[in-house]
Amino acid sequence: MEPSLVADVWKLYQEILEFAPVGVHAVDREGRTRVYNRAMGEIDGYRPDEVLEKNVFELYELDEETSTLWRALKTGHPVQIEEQVYVARNGRRVVTQNRTKPVVIAGEIIGAMEIAVPREAGGEHDAADARRGRRHSFADILGESRAMRRALDLAERAAKTDLPVLLVGETGTGKELFAQAIHQASARKHGPFLAQNCAAWPEGLAESVLFGTRRGGFTGAVDRAGVFELACGGTLFLDEVHAMSPAVQAKLLRALQDGEIWPIGARRSVRTDVRVVAAMNVSPREAVRLGLVRPDLLYRIGALAIHLPPLRDRPEDIPLLARAFLQKYGEGRAVRLSSDALSFLTSHDWPGNVRELEQTVRSALALWPEASELTPAMLRSAHPILGEGTPDDGLRPPRMARPSDDAIRQAYEAAGGNLTRAARALGISRQRMQYHARRLGLRTSPRQAP
């Protein structure tokens, strides 16, 4: 493309975006700043005349791995980062939400452009947002039991490779936490981490979510990047991967084998550089037996399989986790657990695993803000299931028996899909039956007669 035409394009962008309400920073193919609006200057603490024509590495304490503008420029792929923290050369610490894309004119990449929304540090809501957006490391995963240490050791070894990883564990065992930790300890830690729940995708849209679309592929189609493109250079976490249809699983297998994808409506394939960490809440053997996952895909994504133990198999970790949640949600309060409360917690089966324990402790703290000690009665009342019709006597409850998966399926089939009748046959609550039905992928009947 003619240099004069390229210069005119950048000049037009600068004029249009000068008064945009969000920060805009664009660089040319050499990384020199061509567009820098006033909003971006307010975020960084620079005047536009200090920035224009300067290389991105002159302005920020970044390198070729950590600069999202440079990554989008060199890979030709969009980069989406939920939160980015960086330091400008003037010493200002900046926290933003960024969206970065290559600038393409007539099929040629002439630069990259970034849109940034500031998050000022220190505010209550911003601090909460930062906690949600922070990527977790292995130091955030608590557990001293042998089963948990085994899983952590294998995950730390997996992080040193670039092989696909399969995380197997029940709901609430921390699969996404492990996926984030693997990413943070890997060579891809400066790239994006994108998490997707395959079971949450609308029916028929899985392929477009994964691989994207191109204009003209179907009526109303637009150029839209899929998660494989958005996660380029980083890690793509696919939770409940067994929820994909066999046809989509076949295309996912092809993408992993070939290192390239075919967006819907594309005339040519797109090279990808993504590490996939997949997760399932059923065992691989059971998933294959039930036809939930293709064996060839399982062999591919399960090159390294890590089984995360349920909380009931590591009761010695419960006091450690409970005290950590007291500190996390106690807002500086000196709150402890009574000995009876610890007995209460370690005697429960925790079908929802760590997530269930965390929510119970958090709810108890919120309900009794004046308490310096949590009792079994408080914890029981704060629990969505145990609180139903349970006497407030402070006594240790009996251990809740967990029916086997085969027994759950048999009761479900015998009840014709009615959760209430199935729960009654198993001697468990309807809420727990509903949990097991979701965990095992059982379809509930539209009407639930008592």
Side-chain angles (χ1 to χ4, degrees):
M1 183 177 293
E2 291 292 330
S4 59
L5 179 57
V6 173
D8 288 341
V9 169
W10 289 128
K11 182 178 179 181
L12 179 61
Y13 274 138
Q14 178 69 35
E15 291 176 355
I16 293 174
L17 299 170
E18 175 64 19
F19 295 101
V22 295
V24 180
H25 187 179
V27 297
D28 61 17
R29 286 184 296 185
E30 284 70 45
R32 293 176 305 208
T33 300
R34 293 301 187 185
V35 177
Y36 190 88
N37 69 352
R38 296 186 183 186
M40 197 72 230
E42 292 174 359
I43 295 171
D44 288 341
Y46 287 128
R47 298 190 313 273
D49 62 328
E50 295 179 293
V51 175
L52 292 171
E53 299 296 330
K54 287 189 177 179
N55 189 283
V56 65
F57 301 121
E58 297 179 65
L59 302 169
Y60 309 107
E61 295 182 3
L62 299 170
D63 55 33
E64 293 185 2
E65 288 187 349
T66 55
S67 170
T68 49
L69 276 167
W70 191 261
R71 193 188 316 151
L73 181 65
K74 294 306 177 184
T75 66
H77 294 289
V79 179
Q80 179 149 5
I81 291 186
E82 181 175 344
E83 178 182 277
Q84 184 173 40
V85 180
Y86 61 93
V87 178
R89 293 293 181 188
N90 58 14
R92 173 178 287 197
R93 180 178 179 275
V94 183
V95 183
T96 57
Q97 277 190 317
N98 291 357
R99 168 76 173 176
T100 314
K101 296 187 68 174
V103 178
V104 181
I105 303 294
E108 179 181 347
I109 297 177
I110 66 168
M113 181 176 293
E114 187 161 84
I115 296 175
V117 178
R119 286 187 173 184
E120 296 181 2
E124 177 183 348
H125 297 294
D126 295 314
D129 288 343
R131 285 194 298 271
R132 286 193 294 269
R134 183 175 71 89
R135 293 174 182 169
H136 294 282
S137 67
F138 285 116
D140 297 312
I141 303 177
L142 301 179
E144 297 175 351
S145 62
R146 180 179 298 180
M148 199 60 175
R149 294 311 310 171
R150 188 185 304 117
L152 282 168
D153 178 69
L154 190 54
E156 289 172 354
R157 293 175 183 274
K160 298 174 183 178
T161 76
D162 206 38
L163 292 170
V165 175
L166 175 63
L167 300 172
V168 181
E170 296 176 4
T171 298
T173 50
K175 295 186 290 295
E176 184 169 350
L177 184 61
F178 265 78
Q180 287 190 21
I182 291 171
H183 172 79
Q184 283 298 93
S186 74
R188 295 175 175 269
K189 64 182 179 181
H190 297 301
F193 174 87
L194 197 60
Q196 294 286 308
N197 188 314
C198 304
W201 293 340
E203 188 174 354
L205 294 183
E207 186 178 351
S208 63
V209 173
L210 278 173
F211 309 125
T213 60
R214 294 295 182 266
R215 190 184 305 274
F218 53 87
T219 303
V222 297
D223 291 335
R224 179 172 294 141
V227 292
F228 261 84
E229 291 180 85
L230 294 174
C232 186
T235 302
L236 176 59
F237 175 56
L238 296 176
D239 196 7
E240 298 192 65
V241 69
H242 56 287
M244 293 182 186
S245 70
V248 175
Q249 287 186 27
K251 293 180 180 180
L252 173 60
L253 175 63
R254 173 69 65 179
L256 294 174
Q257 289 176 335
D258 298 345
E260 61 183 26
I261 59 171
W262 282 88
I264 298 175
R267 296 183 178 180
R268 60 177 64 91
S269 62
V270 177
R271 296 294 301 174
T272 62
D273 176 24
V274 175
R275 182 193 197 169
V276 170
V277 176
M280 300 193 303
N281 56 21
V282 294
S283 72
R285 186 188 300 273
E286 188 77 355
V288 171
R289 186 182 73 82
L290 296 174
L292 299 176
V293 65
R294 293 170 55 109
D296 49 0
L297 175 62
L298 185 61
Y299 301 145
R300 185 73 186 186
I301 62 176
L304 290 168
I306 302 173
H307 294 259
L308 308 188
L311 196 53
R312 64 181 173 276
D313 289 348
R314 53 185 187 109
E316 62 268 42
D317 287 338
I318 291 176
L320 174 67
L321 290 163
R323 292 187 180 107
F325 296 143
L326 283 178
Q327 183 176 7
K328 180 178 180 180
Y329 298 112
E331 299 179 349
R333 293 161 51 193
V335 188
R336 67 185 185 91
L337 292 163
S338 70
S339 58
D340 286 344
L342 281 174
S343 296
F344 175 93
L345 294 177
T346 55
S347 68
H348 181 46
D349 196 45
W350 301 111
N353 293 293
V354 178
R355 185 181 298 132
E356 181 187 353
L357 172 63
E358 180 176 14
Q359 189 56 51
T360 299
V361 174
R362 183 178 187 180
S363 297
L365 287 169
L367 290 171
W368 283 275
E370 74 287 353
S372 60
E373 180 180 81
L374 295 184
T375 67
M378 294 175 182
L379 293 168
R380 186 184 294 115
S381 298
H383 194 280
I385 298 176
L386 295 183
E388 292 183 357
T390 307
D392 188 12
D393 55 11
L395 298 177
R396 172 175 174 168
R399 176 173 293 276
M400 301 173 67
R402 180 182 183 274
S404 69
D405 289 350
D406 286 341
I408 292 169
R409 290 194 182 90
Q410 290 172 7
Y412 173 84
E413 292 172 1
N418 185 287
L419 297 184
T420 302
R421 288 202 294 268
R424 189 179 299 144
L426 292 168
I428 61 176
S429 69
R430 188 185 184 282
Q431 289 92 335
R432 177 168 287 202
M433 182 63 204
Q434 189 174 39
Y435 158 75
H436 287 307
R438 286 198 303 267
R439 180 177 64 82
L440 297 174
L442 303 177
R443 293 182 178 273
T444 60
S445 58
R447 298 184 62 182
Q448 298 287 321

